[in-house]
Amino acid sequence: MSHRVLTGITTTGTPHLGNYAGAIRPAIQASRQPGVESFFFLADYHALIKCDDPARIERSRLEIAATWLAAGLDTSRVVFYRQSDIPEIPELTWLLTCVTSKGLMNRAHAYKASTDANEAAGEETDAGVTMGLYSYPILMAADILMFKANKVPVGRDQIQHIEMARDVAQRFNHLFGAGRELFVLPEAAVEEGVATLPGLDGRKMSKSYDNTIPLFEGGAKALKAAVARIVTDSRAPGEPKDPDNSHLVTLFDAFAQPAEREQFRADLRAGLAWGEAKQRFLEVLERDLAPMRTRYDELMAKPEEIEAQLLEGARKARATAAPFLAELRESVGLRHFRKVEAKAVEKKADAGAALPVFKQYREADGKFYFKLSAADGRLLLQSQGFEQGREAGQWVGRLKADGAAALADVPATLADGVTAEDVAAALAVFAQG
Ligand code: TRP
């Protein structure tokens, strides 16, 4: 069975080397495995929560899209789209919002971090907290549940959000699934083997530490300048270095072949100068990045090509999302009025009390049934289960219109002690009416 992997990238920044080695590269590699169906998307609705600068939002989503494409994402294998091109996502977000307890959201790390900071600063608890930030995990749950993802590759900080998506999915299944699993319960996949790159100063590479190495931004020149700023110890050329205590080595490892790693370590122990070591790192980096950078620059020069690929991705995503959302709307009771009318008619018959009555209903097995009762409430006819509510409705319609003549065809059985004549008599009422 194919296995569905889904992940989103919040479009607030420009991708750096850490994003590439830690997320983009492993995701693209995983998407090439047989039996894996990948959904990758630009979480631009999430970006709006963190950023109110339209120019930055616009720029970031373009850069991130171009980066993934330049890094070798094959859009014929992977569904690659912008969250904001899928109107079914915010709609599902609302359905989920209505079953998500506020207490669960109170416990979300991102929200807690804000309120803790406010309290520490003596401010009002919710100062500066928008409803977007507060409900962030529900939007994320919608992203995941909409496409029935099995695995969600994320960083550690996102594990809680996946657990919340599971909670919300379970609650929704319980309330509206009528015994069926409407939503698949997703699992977080935190890749242990994947490099978390250190930044220039040795702490985790992150924009918030201002220690990043740019991926394509600024071209080869900027890359070289950043590599020159990687912090090393002050051992002079010729002096033996300790490769196990150097984040330059960690960075090198993420782009080098095993034999090159061995050699690098041996040469450092033998006194390789830090300047030369950085030059070697730059060479292995450029070997990977230079061809991608060329593609990146070409793509950035033709945004309409990126646009076309993303719209095609949105078309594919919506082909899955739209029918599923229709099913979900149905399950919560947002249904076509035809069915409500049928119920109203039944009520009327009930009120009359002197008439036989059809009832349509759904059982815990998820199937749809109807039954016919006599005016006195005695059961006359019991149908089998139908996959679609519509089928049950159609048989009821036929029995009402054709009366006993339809009995031979209808997938239903007479109740104990009831004769075909009893049923025929009851059905005659509908034919007259
Ligand atoms: N919140 C994620 C992050 O900041 C991005 C994201 C949004 C996401 N929707 C998602 C990740 C769905 C995985 C699945 O990293």
Side-chain angles (χ1 to χ4, degrees), residues 13 25 45 69 73 123 131 135 193 220 242 280 389 432:
R25 189 173 61 182
Y45 279 140
L69 294 172
L73 185 76
E123 303 232 27
M131 287 308 292
S135 313
D242 177 7
R280 278 212 220 158
Q432 285 159 15

Side-chain angles (χ1 to χ4, degrees), residues 359-390:
K359 281 221 161 72
Q360 288 180 54
Y361 56 97
R362 197 163 184 196
E363 286 286 20
D365 62 5
K367 293 197 173 145
F368 296 85
Y369 294 81
F370 69 81
K371 62 184 177 189
L372 173 67
S373 306
D376 62 4
R378 193 165 49 110
L379 178 67
L380 299 174
L381 191 67
Q382 168 66 61
S383 82
Q384 62 160 57
F386 301 96
E387 294 302 330
Q388 305 288 334
R390 202 158 19 96

Side-chain angles (χ1 to χ4, degrees), residues 197-235:
L197 286 198
L200 298 174
D201 58 359
R203 290 184 293 171
K204 179 187 169 187
M205 191 181 293
S206 161
K207 221 178 56 191
S208 39
Y209 294 144
D210 196 22
N211 65 356
T212 62
I213 299 177
L215 186 58
F216 303 131
E217 203 192 15
K221 221 175 122 200
L223 187 68
K224 187 170 178 177
V227 168
R229 286 189 290 121
I230 296 171
V231 176
T232 60
D233 64 28
S234 53
R235 275 165 232 242

Side-chain angles (χ1 to χ4, degrees), residues 84-407:
S84 63
D85 282 337
I86 318 294
E88 288 79 9
I89 299 276
E91 196 171 344
L92 176 55
T93 301
W94 184 251
L95 299 189
L96 299 179
T97 300
C98 294
V99 304
T100 302
S101 76
K102 179 166 175 286
L104 185 69
M105 294 299 97
N106 288 342
R107 291 193 287 278
H109 296 323
Y111 170 66
K112 282 272 294 156
S114 298
T115 56
D116 288 352
N118 282 337
E119 276 166 16
E123 303 232 27
E124 227 181 289
T125 308
D126 284 327
V129 174
T130 63
M131 287 308 292
L133 174 65
Y134 189 64
S135 313
Y136 181 109
I138 313 179
L139 176 58
M140 185 159 159
D143 291 332
I144 298 168
L145 301 178
M146 178 60 92
F147 298 104
K148 300 189 163 113
N150 306 104
K151 283 261 159 20
V152 185
V154 283
R156 282 191 184 288
D157 59 323
Q158 298 292 318
I159 296 176
Q160 189 199 31
H161 293 149
I162 315 295
E163 283 164 1
M164 289 178 159
R166 288 173 69 91
D167 279 4
V168 173
Q170 270 168 322
R171 180 153 170 79
F172 196 98
N173 283 347
H174 173 73
L175 285 171
F176 304 117
R180 273 181 323 151
E181 299 281 291
L182 286 165
F183 290 129
V184 167
L185 303 185
E187 272 175 44
V190 180
E191 308 242 1
E192 301 296 344
V194 161
T196 311
L197 286 198
L200 298 174
D201 58 359
R203 290 184 293 171
K204 179 187 169 187
M205 191 181 293
S206 161
K207 221 178 56 191
S208 39
Y209 294 144
D210 196 22
N211 65 356
T212 62
I213 299 177
L215 186 58
F216 303 131
E217 203 192 15
K221 221 175 122 200
L223 187 68
K224 187 170 178 177
V227 168
R229 286 189 290 121
I230 296 171
V231 176
T232 60
D233 64 28
S234 53
R235 275 165 232 242
E239 230 184 299
K241 321 274 187 302
D242 177 7
D244 298 328
N245 271 311
S246 158
H247 56 274
L248 175 60
V249 174
T250 314
L251 285 163
F252 184 90
D253 283 355
F255 293 88
Q257 300 301 317
E260 294 168 330
R261 293 180 204 160
E262 287 307 307
Q263 188 66 50
F264 196 52
R265 281 172 169 70
D267 292 347
L268 281 168
R269 284 195 189 96
L272 181 72
W274 285 125
E276 267 176 67
K278 287 181 179 179
Q279 184 54 38
R280 278 212 220 158
F281 173 46
L282 195 61
E283 278 159 23
V284 294
L285 262 186
E286 280 292 354
R287 183 176 64 194
D288 264 21
L289 301 189
M292 293 184 210
R293 187 188 299 123
T294 309
R295 251 175 291 149
Y296 178 82
D297 292 339
E298 283 165 9
L299 284 162
M300 288 299 281
K302 288 188 209 135
E304 60 300 340
E305 264 182 31
I306 305 178
E307 180 74 24
Q309 295 210 49
L310 287 170
L311 288 180
E312 173 57 15
R315 192 192 58 74
K316 286 196 266 178
R318 293 191 71 192
T320 301
F324 187 36
L325 186 70
E327 194 186 338
L328 295 170
R329 288 178 58 104
E330 180 86 9
S331 74
V332 300
L334 301 176
R335 297 174 189 151
H336 199 288
F337 267 171
R338 222 179 13 204
K339 292 178 183 171
V340 175
E341 262 165 32
K343 286 231 173 82
V345 168
E346 277 169 26
K347 276 240 177 69
K348 239 165 81 197
D350 258 338
L355 292 174
V357 54
F358 274 107
K359 281 221 161 72
Q360 288 180 54
Y361 56 97
R362 197 163 184 196
E363 286 286 20
D365 62 5
K367 293 197 173 145
F368 296 85
Y369 294 81
F370 69 81
K371 62 184 177 189
L372 173 67
S373 306
D376 62 4
R378 193 165 49 110
L379 178 67
L380 299 174
L381 191 67
Q382 168 66 61
S383 82
Q384 62 160 57
F386 301 96
E387 294 302 330
Q388 305 288 334
R390 202 158 19 96
E391 289 175 73
Q394 279 163 355
W395 281 115
V396 170
R398 225 188 113 193
L399 284 165
K400 284 180 178 173
D402 298 351
L407 267 184

